[in-house]
Amino acid sequence: MSIKIKEVTTKQDLKKFVKFNLELYKDCLYHVPGLIADEMITLDKTKNPAFDFCEAIYFLAYKNDRIVGRIAGLINHRANEVWNQQYARFGFVDFINDDEVVDALFDAVEKWAKNKGMNGIQGPLGFTDLDHEGTLIEGFNKMGTMAAIYNYPYYPHQIERMGYEKDQDWNEFKIIVPKEIPEKYLRVAEIVKKKYGLKIMRFRKTKEIWPYAKKIFDLWNKAYSTLYAYSPLSDKQIEYYIKMYIPMLRLELVPIIVRESDDAVVGVGICMPNLSYALKSAGGNIFPFGFVPLLKSLYGKKVKVIDMMIIGVDPEYQNKGVNSLIFCDIIEVANKLGAEWCESNPELELNHKIQSLWDSFEATLHKKRRAYLKKI
């Protein structure tokens, strides 16, 4: 039976592209839907500043006039320049378990990439590290998170069948919150504060964190610059993400470490209450009632699970114990909120520095995901 591939060219088709993910996973217990409005903005070539140096194409697959798959082809020219490569990316990919559908989707993206002069395709990746990336390869019976892709178990098989091979893996840990801050962390935190002249900044109101917002993203650029497929965020992107993310932070879960001498940000831990069940309840829409469970989860007095979104330390201060300051603060707040455990969210398998942080905790590797590469 023939599969029809249609390029997305209208806003109406783009909404179908976004909503297909919700339709495909509507009966899945573990999938966490994103917000339709957010993904529409991310994919909008007039609104996402990543398009200053990225280009993209979106395809829908139809079978019997019904949408059965989607895929985006992306080229991040800045990342290609940084990593000295000519790769396209595939992302925002979903499909039914049908060889013909998968063949047609990936064939469309590969032809597009070749016509653009690319010699390889990585994925799933987004425009930046703040987009979803990595196909889930282990942990299919675990609840997904806001920060990561959930996919059915047949995805890895289908992608590998198309000739894609492992490029990088990410690990995700379930970390039990200790009832007390480990004495080792308390001791190291005090030494580090005195030795390097550091202090922890805590905020109660959004306006208080605003002067530090750009400093946080500048730190992100420095701390993550050597990690897989990373390309530095532009000032325009930083402004875009500040407006998107800073207003929704739960401030007591955002410890910022600054140098007392000049107020420079040298470390940050951005955590949030886990929003998985709230997002499932919202079903992709904030209105008319989706905002209610989201607000309850974000700002409720009790929080069962905390998502660790970003742990970053200035390279100048890495391996000097700055993480102890961050964790002491997070553990204290987590206990006040009654949190039982934390989701690490994706950490590169080869990033031994970040994964060694969990050696002092009761931590279980409970999910893995993979980025693939195919030369074309």
Side-chain angles (χ1 to χ4, degrees):
M1 191 172 295
S2 63
I3 307 300
K4 294 181 180 179
I5 296 295
K6 179 180 179 181
E7 181 183 346
V8 171
T9 57
T10 68
K11 188 173 182 179
Q12 183 181 19
D13 283 344
L14 186 62
K15 183 165 279 191
K16 292 177 182 177
F17 182 94
V18 171
K19 293 179 76 171
F20 175 69
N21 175 268
L22 278 71
E23 176 65 25
L24 184 64
Y25 288 93
K26 65 182 179 181
D27 297 321
C28 179
L29 295 176
Y30 309 110
H31 174 257
V32 176
L35 295 174
I36 294 169
D38 283 356
E39 191 160 310
M40 289 288 290
I41 292 172
T42 297
L43 297 171
D44 191 320
K45 299 175 184 180
T46 66
K47 295 180 180 179
N48 187 342
F51 282 99
D52 287 349
F53 51 87
C54 293
E55 55 183 304
I57 192 167
Y58 314 130
F59 295 109
L60 286 168
Y62 287 81
K63 186 174 185 177
N64 294 332
D65 296 321
R66 182 173 69 90
I67 296 174
V68 290
R70 69 170 191 171
I71 196 169
L74 316 170
I75 300 174
N76 183 324
H77 293 287
R78 178 173 291 172
N80 279 342
E81 182 178 340
V82 168
W83 296 98
N84 191 29
Q85 62 191 24
Q86 290 298 311
Y87 289 168
R89 301 175 171 195
F90 73 87
F92 303 92
V93 60
D94 288 298
F95 43 78
I96 64 171
N97 193 14
D98 183 307
D99 289 2
E100 284 187 302
V101 172
V102 178
D103 290 349
L105 284 170
F106 279 88
D107 182 61
V109 165
E110 289 171 14
K111 285 180 178 176
W112 173 79
K114 284 182 181 178
N115 288 336
K116 291 289 182 177
M118 302 295 108
N119 58 26
I121 301 183
Q122 296 170 300
L125 295 169
F127 301 100
T128 75
D129 271 26
L130 290 169
D131 296 320
H132 288 166
E133 51 192 14
T135 297
L136 191 68
I137 59 172
E138 293 179 19
F140 299 106
N141 62 342
K142 308 294 183 184
M143 177 61 72
T145 67
M146 177 179 69
I149 295 169
Y150 180 87
N151 53 261
Y152 288 124
Y154 61 78
Y155 277 46
H157 165 73
Q158 286 287 4
I159 294 171
E160 290 163 14
R161 185 185 62 79
M162 293 299 299
Y164 288 81
E165 299 179 343
K166 174 184 173 179
D167 200 19
Q168 288 285 340
D169 279 2
W170 289 266
N171 294 331
E172 297 179 48
F173 293 87
K174 177 179 179 178
I175 305 152
I176 303 301
V177 177
K179 296 302 180 185
E180 295 181 353
I181 301 172
E183 191 275 333
K184 167 187 162 184
Y185 279 87
L186 288 170
R187 185 178 68 254
V188 172
E190 285 305 311
I191 293 172
V192 169
K193 279 197 292 186
K194 292 176 182 177
K195 184 175 181 179
Y196 300 108
L198 306 179
K199 64 178 180 180
I200 302 174
M201 298 293 296
R202 299 179 177 90
F203 308 99
R204 293 186 177 182
K205 298 179 180 179
T206 301
K207 66 179 182 181
E208 295 173 355
I209 198 174
W210 215 260
Y212 294 91
K214 186 174 187 303
K215 294 180 181 181
I216 291 171
F217 282 98
D218 286 340
L219 173 66
W220 167 284
N221 271 339
K222 286 196 287 185
Y224 285 71
S225 63
T226 60
L227 298 184
Y228 173 73
Y230 188 79
S231 65
L233 300 176
S234 67
D235 286 345
K236 194 172 174 182
Q237 283 180 290
I238 289 173
E239 182 181 351
Y240 168 79
Y241 287 123
I242 286 172
K243 290 179 180 177
M244 181 181 293
Y245 292 123
I246 296 297
M248 67 181 293
L249 293 177
R250 180 148 181 175
L251 296 178
E252 69 260 48
L253 285 170
V254 186
I256 294 176
I257 314 302
V258 302
R259 195 163 51 213
E260 290 187 291
S261 61
D262 59 3
D263 216 31
V265 174
V266 302
V268 63
I270 297 181
C271 301
M272 293 181 65
N274 180 276
L275 300 180
S276 297
Y277 289 99
L279 285 165
K280 286 185 74 68
S281 180
N285 296 291
I286 293 181
F287 302 106
F289 303 114
F291 70 94
V292 175
L294 287 169
L295 287 177
K296 285 183 177 180
S297 292
L298 268 174
Y299 303 113
K301 291 183 179 180
K302 293 292 183 181
V303 175
K304 181 178 180 181
V305 182
I306 290 175
D307 281 3
M308 307 180 82
M309 310 298 285
I310 297 173
I311 302 292
V313 175
D314 188 310
E316 182 183 344
Y317 288 87
Q318 289 177 6
N319 300 318
K320 293 181 178 179
V322 174
N323 284 314
S324 295
L325 289 167
I326 296 171
F327 287 132
C328 284
D329 197 79
I330 291 173
I331 293 168
E332 180 182 349
V333 174
N335 276 301
K336 287 180 180 177
L337 294 173
E340 298 175 11
W341 55 280
C342 296
E343 281 271 8
S344 74
N345 281 304
E347 301 172 348
L348 282 168
E349 180 182 52
L350 298 179
N351 189 354
H352 303 299
K353 287 182 182 178
I354 189 71
Q355 289 175 63
S356 67
L357 296 175
W358 316 132
D359 291 346
S360 300
F361 297 91
E362 184 183 342
T364 304
L365 174 59
H366 72 154
K367 300 174 197 170
K368 288 180 72 75
R369 61 187 62 252
R370 177 164 295 169
Y372 293 91
L373 173 64
K374 179 180 180 180
K375 296 297 181 70
I376 56 174

